[in-house]
Amino acid sequence: MRLIIKLIILSQIIFLLLSNSVIAQNNYKIKTIVIDAGHGGKDPGALGFKSKEKDLALAIALKVGKYIKEKYPNIKVIYTRTTDVFIELHKRSQIANDNNADLFISIHINASHVKSVRGTATYVMGLNKVQDNLDVAKRENAVILIEDDYKKQYEGYDPNSPESDIIMSLYQNAFLHQSISLAGKVQKQFTQRANRHGRGVRQAGLVVLWNCSMPGILVESGFISNREEEKFMMSDYGQSLIASAIYRAFSEYKDEVEGNNNKTVTETKTYVTPKNESIVFKVQIGYSVRKIEPTTKNFKGLKNVKREHDGTKYRYTVGKTSDYQKILELQSTIRKIVPDAYVIAFKNDKKISVKQAVNELNKK
Ligand SMILES: [Zn+2]
């Protein structure tokens, strides 16, 4: 690493640390937020079966901004793009810096060559510790190779060099704590309220977050390579649910950094509630006229067995979720102990066929 680069990094860090502590001292209010829809124009991002990352990311980003504006009219929402145009990565963070933004949220869609991989993950700047995160960083950073003059713009950054990664990870350290806090809230909303499979808060060397002088996150909203998730993200309902989760996380974060601990968090408006909450799946492990205590001992060591009477017999089940994929996973685990266990479905506590339940979930 050249000395000049070291000095630049050092001065950047000191600047970031200083600006960060100012925020903590004053009566801090979030005034400006930048919402960045990933990719665009000649850069389609990841490709799904029927859709492109750039289009899904834009649709979700616009909704996030709309929800924030509706609830907080005093907050300035700035988009890096509102149409299908190409924006270089360094310009995205520059927009945030030029506008003294308090927060930078970049919205993306993930992809994998393994079609079954699914779920949401939220990234903050940091060192790629696992291969998975390195892959995401490489894919999200690769766009700079089609930008003009990229070597000049990114100070010789090479998406494939480990040293470049280390340099980048230093930049965001000053805001890491806040970034992780927001990322954690996004993931919590995704899993607990929006019913998405969570892959957690992760760190990667992401160029788009590199030069942000404010807390920043990159949300991977789901896998475009997974047919089910692609379908969900292509639907207005799915986009609204994802955007709603990000909006609520922002709202919680805002209360946290502004010190509004008077429980306003709980009243944050839910724009879209999962409308299929009424559909649940369980794994049935027994059905009998005999009333058996649902203890671990009576059920081959299985924990949390539930017993219910349906008017004729007692039904013994484990698990309860509206995620069909999850219940199938549970079913295969349970079958190692109870080979004839199978998935059953309910709508508003009334038993319906699994096929009907799946159909209803897929309607939108
Ligand atoms: Zn992307």
Side-chain angles (χ1 to χ4, degrees):
M1 201 187 321
R2 293 203 315 271
L3 181 66
I4 185 92
I5 298 181
K6 279 188 186 162
L7 288 173
I8 291 168
I9 292 169
L10 195 63
S11 63
Q12 280 276 342
I13 291 169
I14 291 167
F15 167 74
L16 294 179
L17 285 171
L18 285 174
S19 58
N20 204 28
S21 60
V22 170
I23 287 169
Q25 280 164 17
N26 298 338
N27 209 351
Y28 177 65
K29 290 259 182 253
I30 290 182
K31 292 186 201 77
T32 308
I33 170 170
V34 168
I35 298 173
D36 173 47
H39 312 275
K42 66 180 176 186
D43 168 27
L47 301 174
F49 302 97
K50 291 180 178 169
S51 64
K52 294 176 180 141
E53 176 180 2
K54 64 174 184 178
D55 300 321
L56 303 184
L58 180 60
I60 295 166
L62 293 176
K63 278 183 193 288
V64 174
K66 188 178 138 231
Y67 297 160
I68 292 174
K69 270 194 223 164
E70 271 170 30
K71 173 77 186 192
Y72 306 108
N74 293 330
I75 292 180
K76 193 169 160 196
V77 174
I78 296 167
Y79 299 100
T80 53
R81 68 180 180 97
T82 54
T83 54
D84 184 17
V85 289
F86 181 75
I87 316 244
E88 293 161 325
L89 278 190
H90 66 94
K91 285 203 179 133
R92 296 169 188 258
S93 52
Q94 200 187 317
I95 291 170
N97 294 347
D98 290 349
N99 286 283
N100 288 319
D102 300 281
L103 205 55
F104 182 84
I105 299 180
S106 189
I107 293 169
H108 289 253
I109 315 291
N110 220 332
S112 166
H113 58 276
V114 183
K115 306 287 176 227
S116 59
V117 174
R118 70 198 171 97
T120 62
T122 302
Y123 283 83
V124 299
M125 193 66 189
L127 265 179
N128 303 309
K129 291 199 187 86
V130 288
Q131 187 59 38
D132 230 19
N133 301 343
L134 193 65
D135 291 345
V136 165
K138 271 192 183 161
R139 202 163 37 70
E140 300 297 10
N141 294 341
V143 60
I144 66 169
L145 301 173
I146 59 169
E147 292 178 9
D148 305 326
D149 251 3
Y150 90 87
K151 286 212 169 97
K152 214 191 267 169
Q153 289 299 345
Y154 301 98
E155 297 165 30
Y157 167 78
D158 170 0
N160 299 312
S161 138
E163 197 185 49
S164 292
D165 253 15
I166 295 166
I167 296 170
M168 284 207 309
S169 70
L170 292 171
Y171 277 84
Q172 270 275 320
N173 278 354
F175 300 105
L176 194 58
H177 179 73
Q178 283 153 292
S179 303
I180 288 175
S181 168
L182 175 62
K185 290 172 174 52
V186 171
Q187 284 305 118
K188 192 190 88 190
Q189 288 291 341
F190 273 149
T191 53
Q192 293 180 7
R193 298 282 296 276
N195 232 341
R196 310 311 298 154
H197 175 66
R199 298 166 62 85
V201 173
R202 296 166 172 233
Q203 286 191 293
L206 294 156
V207 170
V208 72
L209 299 177
W210 181 7
N211 273 322
C212 284
S213 316
M214 74 274 321
I217 58 168
L218 185 146
V219 181
E220 294 282 2
S221 322
F223 280 79
I224 205 167
S225 45
N226 178 300
R227 273 182 194 275
E228 223 171 287
E229 287 203 335
E230 184 191 28
K231 197 177 166 193
F232 178 76
M233 290 186 292
M234 281 174 72
S235 71
D236 184 61
Y237 168 71
Q239 290 165 2
S240 303
L241 204 59
I242 291 167
S244 204
I246 298 169
Y247 154 76
R248 281 196 303 266
F250 163 74
S251 190
E252 277 185 33
Y253 172 85
K254 181 179 181 292
D255 283 337
E256 185 180 276
V257 295
E258 292 181 357
N260 311 327
N261 290 324
N262 45 6
K263 285 288 159 207
T264 49
V265 176
T266 48
E267 59 91 41
T268 57
K269 191 170 159 194
T270 301
Y271 283 91
V272 183
T273 43
K275 81 177 162 319
N276 288 311
E277 261 174 348
S278 58
I279 303 264
V280 292
F281 300 99
K282 298 173 184 180
V283 175
Q284 180 167 313
I285 53 169
Y287 189 57
S288 132
V289 285
R290 265 181 67 207
K291 189 176 182 180
I292 306 163
E293 282 313 305
T295 57
T296 310
K297 215 176 90 198
N298 286 341
F299 285 89
K300 298 182 178 179
L302 287 176
K303 282 182 207 155
N304 299 319
V305 174
K306 296 276 182 287
R307 179 183 66 202
E308 55 207 45
H309 197 255
D310 70 355
T312 25
K313 292 182 182 180
Y314 291 98
R315 172 175 287 123
Y316 301 90
T317 62
V318 282
K320 185 183 178 185
T321 174
S322 22
D323 187 329
Y324 185 53
Q325 213 55 45
K326 265 191 197 148
I327 207 71
L328 288 180
E329 282 163 23
L330 181 64
Q331 176 183 261
S332 64
T333 309
I334 300 292
R335 278 187 175 167
K336 289 177 190 139
I337 304 158
V338 186
D340 55 353
Y342 58 94
V343 172
I344 54 171
F346 296 85
K347 185 182 181 182
N348 300 324
D349 294 328
K350 218 181 132 242
K351 196 167 171 294
I352 57 170
S353 75
V354 171
K355 198 179 163 198
Q356 190 189 337
V358 172
N359 280 345
E360 292 212 16
L361 285 173
N362 285 338
K363 251 182 208 162
K364 260 281 182 170

